[in-house]
Amino acid sequence: MLIFAIESSCDETACAIVKDGREVISNSVFSQIKTHRKFGGVVPEVAAREHLESIGPVIKETFEQAGISPAQIDAFASTAGPGLVGCLLVGLNAAKTLALVHNKPYIPVNHLQAHVCANFIDSDLNPPFICLLVSGGHTQVIYVKDFDNQTIVASTIDDAVGEVYDKVARLMGLPYPGGIMLDKLAQEGNPNAFKLPEAKVGEDEFSFSGLKTALLRLTQSFKDKEIPQKDICASFQERVSDTLIKKTLNLADKYGCKTIVTAGGVAANSELRKKLFALNDRGYKTYAPAMKYCTDNAAMVGSCAYFNPIKCANPLEMEVFSRA
Ligand code: KG4
Ligand code: ZN
């Protein structure tokens, strides 16, 4: 089954053609990072307008890359939410229009489920497994019993991990989006240079606001002196990745899961991947999406449309939604 998928929930206009949920035939991403950098974050109204401008060219490029015509597509999919409403509307209306014009089904997809499904691309992964989902807007551990049977078994009570990465990066004077820059600097620093606090919360909770405050105090303590950027980044990255992996591992054991996967933009983080893959030596099987399928993309939407679409009686009446 060939699915043409669109992702437009935030600041990436992306399209992909995916075969049977696992094989990516073509994949295009147009990132708006340059536009939003001068504002230090995504401006929803500006993002929606950019999606409108780029959606046509990105659709065209995706078909050209694949050498496939719209008539050969079996279904058209898009992210329906959660995300920025004005942005989601662009992708959803484009996908519905393509479906209507070519007389094929439209398949709505949940953005968070799509991140999880990025792990099915080019892999032999099958449920059950435990998934650590870490993105700019969400931090959750999900027990995936089956493709369409999932339970959130832990989530953040304040900030999402990606959000904290971006805020701490801004504190250090790094440009938006800070996560990837912070990760790069961290790799050159000493992870034990500063002892940072770990939140004392339940096994089904994450909390990062205390860590954020500790970093604010730490950076301020240098006053006029130069901030040891690399060591602070490395210590922050160590604290975050250690907490995420420890909690996920505990929950995997609690639910009797020997397979652990990660997903979302922060799944691209070097230290998180290192700690996750190290669990292979302890009898676990671990997976993470290829780097290009961690941050927002449409290949994961195409996979999710195949494995775990939003179930609704009349998909063409599906509307966008901002929150999970
Ligand atoms: O999944 P995503 O592309 O968008 C959302 O659905 O939110 O995630 C974006 C987040 C941003 O906060 C970004 O800073 C973070 O993922 N990110 C990283 C890395 N690459 C992207 N955070 C830490 N290390 C990275 N290498
Ligand atoms: Zn995302």
mmCIF file of all heavy atoms in Angstrom, residues 11-61:
data_model
loop_
_atom_site.group_PDB
_atom_site.id
_atom_site.type_symbol
_atom_site.label_atom_id
_atom_site.label_comp_id
_atom_site.label_asym_id
_atom_site.label_seq_id
_atom_site.Cartn_x
_atom_site.Cartn_y
_atom_site.Cartn_z
ATOM 1 N N ASP A 11 7.000 23.855 12.441
ATOM 2 C CA ASP A 11 7.774 24.701 11.514
ATOM 3 C C ASP A 11 8.471 23.922 10.408
ATOM 4 O O ASP A 11 9.434 24.387 9.833
ATOM 5 C CB ASP A 11 8.779 25.582 12.284
ATOM 6 C CG ASP A 11 9.739 24.763 13.129
ATOM 7 O OD1 ASP A 11 9.495 23.558 13.305
ATOM 8 O OD2 ASP A 11 10.741 25.328 13.596
ATOM 9 N N GLU A 12 7.975 22.702 10.113
ATOM 10 C CA GLU A 12 8.500 21.955 8.972
ATOM 11 C C GLU A 12 7.364 21.616 8.025
ATOM 12 O O GLU A 12 6.355 21.062 8.458
ATOM 13 C CB GLU A 12 9.143 20.633 9.430
ATOM 14 C CG GLU A 12 10.644 20.687 9.555
ATOM 15 C CD GLU A 12 11.085 20.951 10.981
ATOM 16 O OE1 GLU A 12 10.338 20.599 11.903
ATOM 17 O OE2 GLU A 12 12.167 21.544 11.154
ATOM 18 N N THR A 13 7.535 21.975 6.736
ATOM 19 C CA THR A 13 6.567 21.530 5.733
ATOM 20 C C THR A 13 7.182 20.285 5.120
ATOM 21 O O THR A 13 8.232 20.367 4.480
ATOM 22 C CB THR A 13 6.369 22.573 4.618
ATOM 23 O OG1 THR A 13 6.292 23.865 5.214
ATOM 24 C CG2 THR A 13 5.113 22.298 3.819
ATOM 25 N N ALA A 14 6.543 19.119 5.340
ATOM 26 C CA ALA A 14 7.169 17.880 4.894
ATOM 27 C C ALA A 14 6.170 16.963 4.199
ATOM 28 O O ALA A 14 4.999 16.916 4.564
ATOM 29 C CB ALA A 14 7.784 17.160 6.083
ATOM 30 N N CYS A 15 6.661 16.259 3.157
ATOM 31 C CA CYS A 15 5.845 15.270 2.462
ATOM 32 C C CYS A 15 6.678 14.009 2.265
ATOM 33 O O CYS A 15 7.903 14.081 2.145
ATOM 34 C CB CYS A 15 5.417 15.773 1.085
ATOM 35 S SG CYS A 15 4.309 17.170 1.136
ATOM 36 N N ALA A 16 5.996 12.867 2.194
ATOM 37 C CA ALA A 16 6.700 11.609 1.949
ATOM 38 C C ALA A 16 5.762 10.615 1.286
ATOM 39 O O ALA A 16 4.537 10.733 1.390
ATOM 40 C CB ALA A 16 7.208 11.023 3.267
ATOM 41 N N ILE A 17 6.370 9.662 0.582
ATOM 42 C CA ILE A 17 5.600 8.526 0.065
ATOM 43 C C ILE A 17 6.170 7.288 0.744
ATOM 44 O O ILE A 17 7.385 7.047 0.697
ATOM 45 C CB ILE A 17 5.700 8.424 -1.472
ATOM 46 C CG1 ILE A 17 5.103 9.680 -2.116
ATOM 47 C CG2 ILE A 17 4.979 7.169 -1.980
ATOM 48 C CD1 ILE A 17 5.280 9.771 -3.625
ATOM 49 N N VAL A 18 5.294 6.531 1.423
ATOM 50 C CA VAL A 18 5.755 5.391 2.218
ATOM 51 C C VAL A 18 4.994 4.127 1.798
ATOM 52 O O VAL A 18 3.771 4.147 1.644
ATOM 53 C CB VAL A 18 5.544 5.664 3.729
ATOM 54 C CG1 VAL A 18 6.066 4.502 4.571
ATOM 55 C CG2 VAL A 18 6.230 6.961 4.146
ATOM 56 N N LYS A 19 5.756 3.035 1.610
ATOM 57 C CA LYS A 19 5.142 1.773 1.195
ATOM 58 C C LYS A 19 4.981 0.842 2.401
ATOM 59 O O LYS A 19 5.950 0.577 3.117
ATOM 60 C CB LYS A 19 6.041 1.113 0.144
ATOM 61 C CG LYS A 19 5.422 -0.087 -0.524
ATOM 62 C CD LYS A 19 6.351 -0.640 -1.580
ATOM 63 C CE LYS A 19 5.809 -1.957 -2.090
ATOM 64 N NZ LYS A 19 6.789 -2.685 -2.872
ATOM 65 N N ASP A 20 3.772 0.375 2.619
ATOM 66 C CA ASP A 20 3.455 -0.588 3.682
ATOM 67 C C ASP A 20 4.021 -0.209 5.055
ATOM 68 O O ASP A 20 4.430 -1.084 5.840
ATOM 69 C CB ASP A 20 3.946 -1.988 3.291
ATOM 70 C CG ASP A 20 3.239 -2.492 2.034
ATOM 71 O OD1 ASP A 20 2.114 -2.018 1.760
ATOM 72 O OD2 ASP A 20 3.815 -3.329 1.320
ATOM 73 N N GLY A 21 4.090 1.079 5.326
ATOM 74 C CA GLY A 21 4.461 1.552 6.665
ATOM 75 C C GLY A 21 5.925 1.482 7.030
ATOM 76 O O GLY A 21 6.327 1.998 8.069
ATOM 77 N N ARG A 22 6.738 0.834 6.184
ATOM 78 C CA ARG A 22 8.141 0.652 6.592
ATOM 79 C C ARG A 22 9.154 1.163 5.569
ATOM 80 O O ARG A 22 10.290 1.441 5.921
ATOM 81 C CB ARG A 22 8.424 -0.831 6.847
ATOM 82 C CG ARG A 22 7.600 -1.416 7.991
ATOM 83 C CD ARG A 22 8.319 -2.577 8.636
ATOM 84 N NE ARG A 22 7.466 -3.299 9.565
ATOM 85 C CZ ARG A 22 7.639 -3.291 10.895
ATOM 86 N NH1 ARG A 22 8.610 -2.616 11.445
ATOM 87 N NH2 ARG A 22 6.825 -3.980 11.667
ATOM 88 N N GLU A 23 8.737 1.268 4.309
ATOM 89 C CA GLU A 23 9.709 1.614 3.253
ATOM 90 C C GLU A 23 9.449 3.024 2.721
ATOM 91 O O GLU A 23 8.368 3.296 2.184
ATOM 92 C CB GLU A 23 9.592 0.577 2.122
ATOM 93 C CG GLU A 23 10.694 0.683 1.101
ATOM 94 C CD GLU A 23 10.413 -0.208 -0.110
ATOM 95 O OE1 GLU A 23 9.645 -1.194 0.021
ATOM 96 O OE2 GLU A 23 10.935 0.097 -1.191
ATOM 97 N N VAL A 24 10.437 3.905 2.853
ATOM 98 C CA VAL A 24 10.264 5.285 2.402
ATOM 99 C C VAL A 24 10.710 5.395 0.936
ATOM 100 O O VAL A 24 11.866 5.158 0.603
ATOM 101 C CB VAL A 24 11.079 6.265 3.283
ATOM 102 C CG1 VAL A 24 10.909 7.698 2.796
ATOM 103 C CG2 VAL A 24 10.635 6.147 4.743
ATOM 104 N N ILE A 25 9.748 5.752 0.077
ATOM 105 C CA ILE A 25 10.045 5.865 -1.356
ATOM 106 C C ILE A 25 10.597 7.255 -1.655
ATOM 107 O O ILE A 25 11.502 7.416 -2.465
ATOM 108 C CB ILE A 25 8.764 5.622 -2.212
ATOM 109 C CG1 ILE A 25 8.053 4.328 -1.784
ATOM 110 C CG2 ILE A 25 9.076 5.631 -3.699
ATOM 111 C CD1 ILE A 25 8.800 3.052 -2.061
ATOM 112 N N SER A 26 10.014 8.281 -1.039
ATOM 113 C CA SER A 26 10.601 9.622 -1.150
ATOM 114 C C SER A 26 10.217 10.430 0.085
ATOM 115 O O SER A 26 9.221 10.151 0.747
ATOM 116 C CB SER A 26 10.175 10.325 -2.436
ATOM 117 O OG SER A 26 8.813 10.647 -2.381
ATOM 118 N N ASN A 27 11.057 11.430 0.386
ATOM 119 C CA ASN A 27 10.899 12.161 1.642
ATOM 120 C C ASN A 27 11.466 13.570 1.463
ATOM 121 O O ASN A 27 12.646 13.725 1.177
ATOM 122 C CB ASN A 27 11.675 11.403 2.735
ATOM 123 C CG ASN A 27 11.556 12.036 4.097
ATOM 124 O OD1 ASN A 27 10.447 12.342 4.537
ATOM 125 N ND2 ASN A 27 12.676 12.242 4.765
ATOM 126 N N SER A 28 10.624 14.602 1.582
ATOM 127 C CA SER A 28 11.120 15.985 1.460
ATOM 128 C C SER A 28 10.716 16.776 2.691
ATOM 129 O O SER A 28 9.590 16.657 3.177
ATOM 130 C CB SER A 28 10.511 16.697 0.250
ATOM 131 O OG SER A 28 10.330 15.818 -0.818
ATOM 132 N N VAL A 29 11.648 17.581 3.172
ATOM 133 C CA VAL A 29 11.363 18.440 4.331
ATOM 134 C C VAL A 29 11.820 19.848 4.005
ATOM 135 O O VAL A 29 12.962 20.055 3.600
ATOM 136 C CB VAL A 29 12.114 17.966 5.600
ATOM 137 C CG1 VAL A 29 11.706 18.830 6.800
ATOM 138 C CG2 VAL A 29 11.850 16.502 5.898
ATOM 139 N N PHE A 30 10.897 20.808 4.155
ATOM 140 C CA PHE A 30 11.292 22.211 4.039
ATOM 141 C C PHE A 30 11.212 22.818 5.436
ATOM 142 O O PHE A 30 10.140 22.917 6.012
ATOM 143 C CB PHE A 30 10.391 22.967 3.054
ATOM 144 C CG PHE A 30 10.713 24.434 3.007
ATOM 145 C CD1 PHE A 30 11.820 24.885 2.290
ATOM 146 C CD2 PHE A 30 9.961 25.351 3.719
ATOM 147 C CE1 PHE A 30 12.156 26.231 2.281
ATOM 148 C CE2 PHE A 30 10.282 26.702 3.718
ATOM 149 C CZ PHE A 30 11.391 27.139 2.989
ATOM 150 N N SER A 31 12.386 23.178 5.983
ATOM 151 C CA SER A 31 12.415 23.702 7.350
ATOM 152 C C SER A 31 12.348 25.227 7.355
ATOM 153 O O SER A 31 12.970 25.891 6.544
ATOM 154 C CB SER A 31 13.699 23.242 8.040
ATOM 155 O OG SER A 31 13.827 23.936 9.256
ATOM 156 N N GLN A 32 11.583 25.761 8.311
ATOM 157 C CA GLN A 32 11.440 27.226 8.427
ATOM 158 C C GLN A 32 12.403 27.810 9.461
ATOM 159 O O GLN A 32 12.247 28.973 9.842
ATOM 160 C CB GLN A 32 10.013 27.580 8.836
ATOM 161 C CG GLN A 32 8.939 27.027 7.927
ATOM 162 C CD GLN A 32 7.545 27.386 8.457
ATOM 163 O OE1 GLN A 32 7.399 28.058 9.462
ATOM 164 N NE2 GLN A 32 6.523 26.920 7.749
ATOM 165 N N ILE A 33 13.364 27.015 9.905
ATOM 166 C CA ILE A 33 14.257 27.450 10.994
ATOM 167 C C ILE A 33 14.799 28.860 10.773
ATOM 168 O O ILE A 33 14.769 29.696 11.677
ATOM 169 C CB ILE A 33 15.412 26.447 11.201
ATOM 170 C CG1 ILE A 33 14.888 25.223 11.953
ATOM 171 C CG2 ILE A 33 16.561 27.067 12.001
ATOM 172 C CD1 ILE A 33 15.893 24.120 12.152
ATOM 173 N N LYS A 34 15.280 29.123 9.550
ATOM 174 C CA LYS A 34 15.903 30.438 9.262
ATOM 175 C C LYS A 34 14.928 31.584 9.537
ATOM 176 O O LYS A 34 15.291 32.616 10.086
ATOM 177 C CB LYS A 34 16.359 30.486 7.799
ATOM 178 C CG LYS A 34 17.735 29.897 7.596
ATOM 179 C CD LYS A 34 18.334 30.390 6.272
ATOM 180 C CE LYS A 34 19.530 29.552 5.909
ATOM 181 N NZ LYS A 34 19.373 28.842 4.632
ATOM 182 N N THR A 35 13.669 31.380 9.153
ATOM 183 C CA THR A 35 12.653 32.416 9.349
ATOM 184 C C THR A 35 12.439 32.705 10.830
ATOM 185 O O THR A 35 12.350 33.851 11.243
ATOM 186 C CB THR A 35 11.299 31.951 8.752
ATOM 187 O OG1 THR A 35 11.524 31.589 7.408
ATOM 188 C CG2 THR A 35 10.241 33.031 8.832
ATOM 189 N N HIS A 36 12.342 31.635 11.630
ATOM 190 C CA HIS A 36 11.991 31.806 13.042
ATOM 191 C C HIS A 36 13.176 32.159 13.933
ATOM 192 O O HIS A 36 12.985 32.611 15.057
ATOM 193 C CB HIS A 36 11.282 30.558 13.557
ATOM 194 C CG HIS A 36 10.012 30.255 12.823
ATOM 195 N ND1 HIS A 36 8.900 31.057 12.931
ATOM 196 C CD2 HIS A 36 9.693 29.293 11.926
ATOM 197 C CE1 HIS A 36 7.939 30.572 12.153
ATOM 198 N NE2 HIS A 36 8.397 29.507 11.530
ATOM 199 N N ARG A 37 14.404 31.928 13.413
ATOM 200 C CA ARG A 37 15.592 32.171 14.238
ATOM 201 C C ARG A 37 15.631 33.612 14.749
ATOM 202 O O ARG A 37 15.956 33.862 15.900
ATOM 203 C CB ARG A 37 16.857 31.840 13.428
ATOM 204 C CG ARG A 37 18.117 31.975 14.247
ATOM 205 C CD ARG A 37 19.279 31.279 13.611
ATOM 206 N NE ARG A 37 19.204 29.825 13.808
ATOM 207 C CZ ARG A 37 19.865 28.938 13.080
ATOM 208 N NH1 ARG A 37 20.636 29.350 12.091
ATOM 209 N NH2 ARG A 37 19.761 27.656 13.315
ATOM 210 N N LYS A 38 15.266 34.559 13.899
ATOM 211 C CA LYS A 38 15.355 35.960 14.325
ATOM 212 C C LYS A 38 14.355 36.300 15.441
ATOM 213 O O LYS A 38 14.529 37.276 16.148
ATOM 214 C CB LYS A 38 15.218 36.923 13.141
ATOM 215 C CG LYS A 38 14.008 36.745 12.264
ATOM 216 C CD LYS A 38 14.046 37.789 11.143
ATOM 217 C CE LYS A 38 12.930 37.614 10.132
ATOM 218 N NZ LYS A 38 13.132 36.475 9.213
ATOM 219 N N PHE A 39 13.327 35.456 15.616
ATOM 220 C CA PHE A 39 12.368 35.685 16.707
ATOM 221 C C PHE A 39 12.727 34.852 17.947
ATOM 222 O O PHE A 39 12.094 34.983 18.986
ATOM 223 C CB PHE A 39 10.944 35.317 16.264
ATOM 224 C CG PHE A 39 10.482 36.044 15.026
ATOM 225 C CD1 PHE A 39 10.316 35.361 13.829
ATOM 226 C CD2 PHE A 39 10.225 37.407 15.064
ATOM 227 C CE1 PHE A 39 9.886 36.023 12.679
ATOM 228 C CE2 PHE A 39 9.794 38.070 13.919
ATOM 229 C CZ PHE A 39 9.627 37.380 12.728
ATOM 230 N N GLY A 40 13.678 33.931 17.826
ATOM 231 C CA GLY A 40 14.082 33.083 18.954
ATOM 232 C C GLY A 40 13.104 31.954 19.228
ATOM 233 O O GLY A 40 13.180 31.287 20.251
ATOM 234 N N GLY A 41 12.165 31.727 18.337
ATOM 235 C CA GLY A 41 11.182 30.647 18.510
ATOM 236 C C GLY A 41 10.171 30.703 17.383
ATOM 237 O O GLY A 41 10.193 31.633 16.571
ATOM 238 N N VAL A 42 9.267 29.706 17.341
ATOM 239 C CA VAL A 42 8.291 29.640 16.246
ATOM 240 C C VAL A 42 7.161 30.654 16.460
ATOM 241 O O VAL A 42 6.529 30.669 17.513
ATOM 242 C CB VAL A 42 7.692 28.222 16.123
ATOM 243 C CG1 VAL A 42 6.674 28.149 15.000
ATOM 244 C CG2 VAL A 42 8.795 27.205 15.901
ATOM 245 N N VAL A 43 6.895 31.476 15.453
ATOM 246 C CA VAL A 43 5.764 32.412 15.498
ATOM 247 C C VAL A 43 4.636 31.756 14.685
ATOM 248 O O VAL A 43 4.741 31.621 13.470
ATOM 249 C CB VAL A 43 6.140 33.788 14.889
ATOM 250 C CG1 VAL A 43 4.993 34.775 15.037
ATOM 251 C CG2 VAL A 43 7.410 34.321 15.522
ATOM 252 N N PRO A 44 3.553 31.311 15.369
ATOM 253 C CA PRO A 44 2.513 30.511 14.708
ATOM 254 C C PRO A 44 1.954 31.114 13.419
ATOM 255 O O PRO A 44 1.829 30.431 12.407
ATOM 256 C CB PRO A 44 1.426 30.402 15.783
ATOM 257 C CG PRO A 44 2.162 30.531 17.075
ATOM 258 C CD PRO A 44 3.280 31.492 16.813
ATOM 259 N N GLU A 45 1.642 32.415 13.449
ATOM 260 C CA GLU A 45 1.035 33.063 12.292
ATOM 261 C C GLU A 45 1.996 33.067 11.085
ATOM 262 O O GLU A 45 1.600 32.778 9.948
ATOM 263 C CB GLU A 45 0.677 34.508 12.706
ATOM 264 C CG GLU A 45 -0.201 35.274 11.766
ATOM 265 C CD GLU A 45 -1.479 34.544 11.402
ATOM 266 O OE1 GLU A 45 -2.083 33.911 12.280
ATOM 267 O OE2 GLU A 45 -1.853 34.614 10.205
ATOM 268 N N VAL A 46 3.256 33.356 11.370
ATOM 269 C CA VAL A 46 4.279 33.366 10.314
ATOM 270 C C VAL A 46 4.468 31.950 9.763
ATOM 271 O O VAL A 46 4.571 31.728 8.551
ATOM 272 C CB VAL A 46 5.624 33.911 10.872
ATOM 273 C CG1 VAL A 46 6.719 33.839 9.822
ATOM 274 C CG2 VAL A 46 5.453 35.340 11.379
ATOM 275 N N ALA A 47 4.477 30.962 10.680
ATOM 276 C CA ALA A 47 4.670 29.564 10.276
ATOM 277 C C ALA A 47 3.549 29.122 9.339
ATOM 278 O O ALA A 47 3.804 28.503 8.299
ATOM 279 C CB ALA A 47 4.715 28.667 11.511
ATOM 280 N N ALA A 48 2.305 29.468 9.687
ATOM 281 C CA ALA A 48 1.163 29.059 8.863
ATOM 282 C C ALA A 48 1.285 29.631 7.455
ATOM 283 O O ALA A 48 1.043 28.940 6.463
ATOM 284 C CB ALA A 48 -0.138 29.514 9.521
ATOM 285 N N ARG A 49 1.693 30.883 7.367
ATOM 286 C CA ARG A 49 1.824 31.503 6.044
ATOM 287 C C ARG A 49 2.933 30.850 5.216
ATOM 288 O O ARG A 49 2.802 30.647 4.031
ATOM 289 C CB ARG A 49 2.064 33.011 6.180
ATOM 290 C CG ARG A 49 0.777 33.787 5.908
ATOM 291 C CD ARG A 49 0.990 35.261 6.038
ATOM 292 N NE ARG A 49 0.952 35.658 7.444
ATOM 293 C CZ ARG A 49 1.514 36.762 7.916
ATOM 294 N NH1 ARG A 49 2.170 37.559 7.116
ATOM 295 N NH2 ARG A 49 1.402 37.077 9.189
ATOM 296 N N GLU A 50 4.025 30.493 5.899
ATOM 297 C CA GLU A 50 5.128 29.819 5.181
ATOM 298 C C GLU A 50 4.696 28.440 4.682
ATOM 299 O O GLU A 50 5.094 28.019 3.599
ATOM 300 C CB GLU A 50 6.355 29.688 6.088
ATOM 301 C CG GLU A 50 7.079 31.003 6.247
ATOM 302 C CD GLU A 50 8.581 30.899 5.944
ATOM 303 O OE1 GLU A 50 9.096 29.779 5.785
ATOM 304 O OE2 GLU A 50 9.215 31.967 5.873
ATOM 305 N N HIS A 51 3.892 27.739 5.483
ATOM 306 C CA HIS A 51 3.385 26.431 5.043
ATOM 307 C C HIS A 51 2.586 26.588 3.751
ATOM 308 O O HIS A 51 2.724 25.796 2.819
ATOM 309 C CB HIS A 51 2.476 25.804 6.114
ATOM 310 C CG HIS A 51 3.219 25.153 7.237
ATOM 311 N ND1 HIS A 51 4.127 24.141 7.044
ATOM 312 C CD2 HIS A 51 3.194 25.375 8.574
ATOM 313 C CE1 HIS A 51 4.620 23.752 8.215
ATOM 314 N NE2 HIS A 51 4.076 24.502 9.159
ATOM 315 N N LEU A 52 1.754 27.642 3.721
ATOM 316 C CA LEU A 52 0.922 27.890 2.528
ATOM 317 C C LEU A 52 1.785 28.073 1.288
ATOM 318 O O LEU A 52 1.458 27.592 0.212
ATOM 319 C CB LEU A 52 0.075 29.150 2.737
ATOM 320 C CG LEU A 52 -1.329 28.957 3.287
ATOM 321 C CD1 LEU A 52 -2.028 30.292 3.412
ATOM 322 C CD2 LEU A 52 -2.149 28.014 2.395
ATOM 323 N N GLU A 53 2.902 28.776 1.471
ATOM 324 C CA GLU A 53 3.786 29.035 0.333
ATOM 325 C C GLU A 53 4.544 27.789 -0.110
ATOM 326 O O GLU A 53 4.769 27.577 -1.290
ATOM 327 C CB GLU A 53 4.795 30.135 0.691
ATOM 328 C CG GLU A 53 4.216 31.523 0.528
ATOM 329 C CD GLU A 53 5.156 32.590 1.047
ATOM 330 O OE1 GLU A 53 6.376 32.365 1.056
ATOM 331 O OE2 GLU A 53 4.642 33.643 1.471
ATOM 332 N N SER A 54 4.948 26.964 0.852
ATOM 333 C CA SER A 54 5.829 25.849 0.485
ATOM 334 C C SER A 54 5.120 24.529 0.212
ATOM 335 O O SER A 54 5.703 23.635 -0.392
ATOM 336 C CB SER A 54 6.920 25.652 1.537
ATOM 337 O OG SER A 54 6.388 25.781 2.821
ATOM 338 N N ILE A 55 3.849 24.397 0.631
ATOM 339 C CA ILE A 55 3.202 23.086 0.511
ATOM 340 C C ILE A 55 3.147 22.597 -0.958
ATOM 341 O O ILE A 55 3.452 21.430 -1.233
ATOM 342 C CB ILE A 55 1.798 23.059 1.189
ATOM 343 C CG1 ILE A 55 1.260 21.626 1.268
ATOM 344 C CG2 ILE A 55 0.787 23.948 0.486
ATOM 345 C CD1 ILE A 55 1.877 20.776 2.317
ATOM 346 N N GLY A 56 2.797 23.495 -1.870
ATOM 347 C CA GLY A 56 2.708 23.108 -3.292
ATOM 348 C C GLY A 56 4.033 22.574 -3.819
ATOM 349 O O GLY A 56 4.113 21.432 -4.305
ATOM 350 N N PRO A 57 5.108 23.384 -3.724
ATOM 351 C CA PRO A 57 6.419 22.916 -4.197
ATOM 352 C C PRO A 57 6.897 21.621 -3.512
ATOM 353 O O PRO A 57 7.485 20.754 -4.173
ATOM 354 C CB PRO A 57 7.360 24.073 -3.841
ATOM 355 C CG PRO A 57 6.481 25.283 -3.791
ATOM 356 C CD PRO A 57 5.126 24.801 -3.360
ATOM 357 N N VAL A 58 6.625 21.469 -2.209
ATOM 358 C CA VAL A 58 7.106 20.255 -1.511
ATOM 359 C C VAL A 58 6.331 19.018 -1.993
ATOM 360 O O VAL A 58 6.907 17.948 -2.188
ATOM 361 C CB VAL A 58 7.025 20.411 0.038
ATOM 362 C CG1 VAL A 58 7.447 19.122 0.736
ATOM 363 C CG2 VAL A 58 7.916 21.547 0.515
ATOM 364 N N ILE A 59 5.031 19.173 -2.244
ATOM 365 C CA ILE A 59 4.230 18.047 -2.779
ATOM 366 C C ILE A 59 4.807 17.628 -4.139
ATOM 367 O O ILE A 59 5.056 16.448 -4.395
ATOM 368 C CB ILE A 59 2.734 18.444 -2.934
ATOM 369 C CG1 ILE A 59 2.082 18.593 -1.557
ATOM 370 C CG2 ILE A 59 1.978 17.422 -3.776
ATOM 371 C CD1 ILE A 59 0.649 19.135 -1.578
ATOM 372 N N LYS A 60 5.048 18.637 -4.974
ATOM 373 C CA LYS A 60 5.552 18.372 -6.341
ATOM 374 C C LYS A 60 6.904 17.655 -6.272
ATOM 375 O O LYS A 60 7.111 16.634 -6.951
ATOM 376 C CB LYS A 60 5.685 19.724 -7.068
ATOM 377 C CG LYS A 60 5.949 19.627 -8.542
ATOM 378 C CD LYS A 60 5.605 20.950 -9.240
ATOM 379 C CE LYS A 60 6.076 20.924 -10.680
ATOM 380 N NZ LYS A 60 7.414 21.508 -10.855
ATOM 381 N N GLU A 61 7.799 18.180 -5.436
ATOM 382 C CA GLU A 61 9.142 17.606 -5.320
ATOM 383 C C GLU A 61 9.086 16.141 -4.861
ATOM 384 O O GLU A 61 9.842 15.298 -5.340
ATOM 385 C CB GLU A 61 9.933 18.446 -4.310
ATOM 386 C CG GLU A 61 11.366 17.989 -4.107
ATOM 387 C CD GLU A 61 12.035 18.760 -2.973
ATOM 388 O OE1 GLU A 61 12.120 19.998 -3.081
ATOM 389 O OE2 GLU A 61 12.451 18.128 -1.994
#
